[in-house]
Amino acid sequence: MAKSLLPNIPKIEFAGSKSREAFTFKHYNPTELVEGKTMKDHLRFSVVYWHTMCGTGSDMFGWGTAVRPWEKGTKAGSLEQAKRRVPAFFEICDKLGAPFYAFHDRDLAPHAKTLSESNNYLDQIVELLKEQMQQTGVKLLWGTAQNFVHPRYMHGAATSCNVDSFAFAAAQVKKAMEVTKELDGEGYVFWGGREGYSTLMNTNLKREMDHLGAFMHMAVDYKKKIGFKGSFYIEPKPKEPTKHQYDSDAAACLNFLREYDLLEHFKLNIETNHATLAGHTMQHELEVASAAGALGSIDANMGDLFLGWDTDQFPTDIYLTTQCMLTILKHGGFTTGGTNFDAKVRRESFEPEDLIHAHIAGMDTFARGLKIAAAIRKDGRIDEFVKNRYRTWDGSLGQKIENGKVGFSELEKHALKLGEVTNLESGRQEYLEAIFNEFI
Ligand code: XLS
Ligand code: NI
Ligand code: NI
C-alpha cells in the first residue's frame, strides 16, 4: 500500500442521521434500497478532476489560497505536479466511496509546447490513472477536452473565425475521445466554453453554427470509427466566458441538434448553475431534456442567485436536490449518466479536508433529495393532482385532438355549443407546495 496523502481523513462510512461525526455520511447509505435500487446505483456520484485537483482558490482579485501538501516542491504547471495529483485524487474518491470521476484532458496533464508533446504528457498520466482505477475500482463517468483556456481558442474552438484553431480543437477532441475510450469512459462531454461571441459586430453567427454542426458530425464519425460505445453529451451554458454561447440552454441545444441532424447521437448534461444563469430552474432544464428523451447526466452544483456568474458551489439545498431527483426518477433514472460534482470549495475553505466536507455535504444532500422524492412519489398526492388536472383531455374531444382527428372547424362548433367554459378548477399551487414541504 502506498503512503496515504490524506492521513487524517478516514474512509467515510454511513453513520445515520443522529451521528455528529464530521467524517461520516448522515444520509448517503450506498447499499440502502430506494424504489428497489441502491442509492449508489441511483445517484452514481462522480468527482471532478479539475476543481478538486487543480482549483487553487484564486479569483480576479487574489492569488490562490489552497494548501495541497501532495504538490509540495513541484513547479506549478509541471508534469511532476500533475503526476503527484493522481494518487491524491483517487484517495479522495476512494475514501468518499464515489464510484466515478470526470476530467478535461488539460487538467490531467499540462499544456506543452506542441500538440504531440501535450499528447505525450497526457499518455503518461493516463498510465497512472489506469493503475489507480484498477486499485480503487473507481470508474470514468466521462472525459472532455479543455478547448477554452489556451489563447489559440480566443475566438472560439469549433466556432473560431480561424480554421487552424478549428483543426487544433478537432485534434484535441480526437485525442480526448481516444483516451476516454481507453479508460472505459461511460460518456464524453462537449461544453463549448468559447463557442459563442462577445459582439455580433465581428461575428457571422450562421457560419459559426454551421461549423459547430460540422465539428459534431466529425465527432460522431470518429466515435464510430474507433468503436467508442459511451454516450455523447452536450452541456448547455448561456454565457461566461463569452457574452452568448450557442449551447445556451437545453431548448437551444435540442434545436441545434435537430437542425443539424444530430439528435439521435447526443443527450444533454445539465448543470444547475448554468440553468440559473440562463434564467431557468434546474428542474425546468431537466424536464425539457427529459421531454425530448435526452436527459443524460447532471453536473451537480448550485449558484448564488445574488451573483451573476458560475460560482459552482457544492449543492447543499434540499429543495433543489429533491426537485432534481423527482424529475430524474420520473425519467427512469440514469443509464450512462450520473451525479457529477462540477463544484469547487470556496476560496476560504483552503485545507485538504474541505474537499472531503464539501463532497460529504453534496452527497448527503442528494441522498436526502432522493429519499424525499421517493416519499413524495409514494404518497402520490402530487402526481394524482397533476394527472387529474388534465382529465378533460381523457374525454372524447381531448382524445380526438391528441390523435389528430379534429381541426379548428370542429372545435369552433364545440365552442359555439358551450357558450362559455364553466368547468375551470383551481391550480392549487400553495396547497401543493405545502404537501411538498411535508416531506422535507
Ligand atoms: C464550465 C463547465 C465545464 C464543463 C466541462 O462552466 O461546467 O466545467 O462541465 O467542460
Ligand atoms: Ni459543468
Ligand atoms: Ni459550470
Side-chain angles (χ1 to χ4, degrees):
M1 254 321 261
K3 193 168 134 266
S4 169
L5 298 164
L6 294 123
N8 302 326
I9 310 293
K11 173 115 184 117
I12 313 302
E13 310 275 6
F14 173 68
S17 61
K18 299 226 162 54
S19 168
R20 292 293 173 268
E21 286 298 317
F23 293 117
T24 61
F25 293 119
K26 318 295 182 293
H27 299 277
Y28 178 58
N29 182 4
T31 56
E32 186 178 324
L33 292 180
V34 176
E35 295 194 3
K37 195 157 107 180
T38 64
M39 280 196 180
K40 186 176 174 200
D41 290 343
H42 270 293
L43 293 163
R44 293 168 59 86
F45 286 127
S46 161
V47 180
V48 302
Y49 208 90
W50 53 100
H51 291 311
T52 312
M53 282 298 112
C54 311
T56 63
S58 67
D59 66 15
M60 260 112 82
F61 298 92
W63 295 336
T65 55
V67 173
R68 302 291 181 250
W70 48 85
E71 294 182 6
K72 221 171 142 195
T74 64
K75 223 176 112 226
S78 64
L79 186 61
E80 183 51 30
Q81 180 194 38
K83 287 182 176 168
R84 295 271 196 93
R85 286 172 173 164
V86 178
F89 181 74
F90 283 90
E91 189 173 335
I92 290 170
C93 295
D94 188 45
K95 285 191 164 162
L96 288 167
F100 295 101
Y101 76 107
F103 66 74
H104 294 94
D105 53 357
R106 296 290 178 271
D107 48 50
L108 288 176
H111 297 255
K113 289 252 157 18
T114 64
L115 179 62
S116 49
E117 206 184 327
S118 295
N119 287 347
N120 175 279
Y121 281 1
L122 185 56
D123 286 335
Q124 291 187 50
I125 299 294
V126 166
E127 285 314 306
L128 304 180
L129 297 177
K130 275 192 202 156
E131 263 169 46
Q132 291 288 331
M133 289 170 73
Q134 188 108 45
Q135 275 172 34
T136 58
V138 176
K139 295 194 274 185
L140 178 60
L141 189 70
W142 51 261
T144 188
Q146 184 218 63
N147 287 358
F148 44 86
V149 169
H150 198 280
R152 78 174 72 91
Y153 300 125
M154 66 170 78
H155 301 293
T159 62
S160 177
C161 51
N162 185 307
V163 71
D164 290 341
S165 300
F166 182 101
F168 223 100
Q172 223 184 300
V173 169
K174 173 179 177 287
K175 177 70 180 173
M177 280 170 61
E178 289 164 5
V179 163
T180 301
K181 179 180 181 257
E182 197 177 335
L183 295 170
D184 278 327
E186 303 207 3
Y188 185 90
V189 163
F190 293 84
W191 172 64
R194 296 201 185 266
E195 312 299 22
Y197 58 78
S198 62
T199 174
L200 284 171
M201 289 260 203
N202 64 15
T203 301
N204 185 335
L205 181 144
K206 167 84 172 113
R207 208 166 175 186
E208 293 198 359
M209 299 271 283
D210 287 351
H211 294 165
L212 188 58
F215 192 93
M216 295 306 192
H217 273 288
M218 291 181 204
V220 169
D221 290 346
Y222 196 65
K223 180 178 193 248
K224 268 187 215 138
K225 186 166 172 195
I226 62 173
F228 173 55
K229 295 278 179 294
S231 304
F232 266 0
Y233 308 109
I234 291 195
E235 181 176 322
K237 184 176 183 180
K239 55 187 166 193
E240 195 205 13
T242 68
K243 173 194 172 75
H244 176 84
Q245 266 149 227
Y246 297 129
D247 302 331
S248 53
D249 63 5
C253 287
L254 290 167
N255 182 61
F256 167 82
L257 292 170
R258 273 197 196 98
E259 187 170 346
Y260 290 94
D261 202 14
L262 288 159
L263 194 53
E264 62 175 307
H265 304 292
F266 287 83
K267 287 180 178 167
L268 302 184
N269 178 41
I270 305 288
E271 176 166 325
T272 314
N273 209 160
H274 298 180
T276 51
L277 287 176
H280 305 304
T281 61
M282 176 64 164
Q283 199 181 14
H284 166 89
E285 290 291 85
L286 293 172
E287 288 280 334
V288 169
S290 174
L295 172 50
S297 198
I298 66 170
D299 270 9
N301 62 16
M302 65 182 195
D304 185 321
L305 297 180
F306 287 104
L307 302 176
W309 61 92
D310 199 8
T311 60
D312 283 341
Q313 287 164 240
F314 275 83
T316 53
D317 177 342
I318 301 168
Y319 270 78
L320 167 71
T321 58
T322 303
Q323 288 167 345
C324 289
M325 292 319 299
L326 274 172
T327 299
I328 290 164
L329 289 175
K330 187 171 81 181
H331 181 78
F334 294 124
T335 49
T336 54
T339 307
N340 180 52
F341 290 113
D342 191 356
K344 61 184 180 210
V345 290
R346 298 305 86 192
R347 175 178 167 74
E348 301 84 347
S349 307
F350 63 94
E351 295 179 334
E353 72 170 65
D354 289 305
L355 296 169
I356 306 294
H357 292 306
H359 283 91
I360 292 176
M363 290 163 84
D364 264 347
T365 309
F366 259 92
R368 284 189 83 174
L370 170 63
K371 285 189 285 187
I372 296 166
I376 290 174
R377 281 157 60 86
K378 186 163 179 229
D379 170 78
R381 273 175 289 165
I382 295 180
D383 281 345
E384 188 52 39
F385 183 90
V386 175
K387 191 167 162 263
N388 198 39
R389 188 162 180 245
Y390 292 87
R391 71 182 183 285
T392 59
W393 285 90
D394 300 330
S396 76
L397 180 64
Q399 285 308 292
K400 274 187 210 149
I401 297 172
E402 286 189 350
N403 296 318
K405 296 265 157 57
V406 286
F408 275 1
S409 310
E410 293 91 333
L411 294 176
E412 183 191 45
K413 233 181 263 161
H414 182 78
L416 286 169
K417 240 191 311 163
L418 281 177
E420 192 43 87
V421 179
T422 55
N423 55 353
L424 291 171
E425 290 171 2
S426 168
R428 297 262 191 271
Q429 180 171 334
E430 300 76 5
Y431 163 71
L432 296 167
E433 286 168 346
I435 295 181
F436 191 97
N437 280 356
E438 280 178 36
F439 294 89
I440 294 284

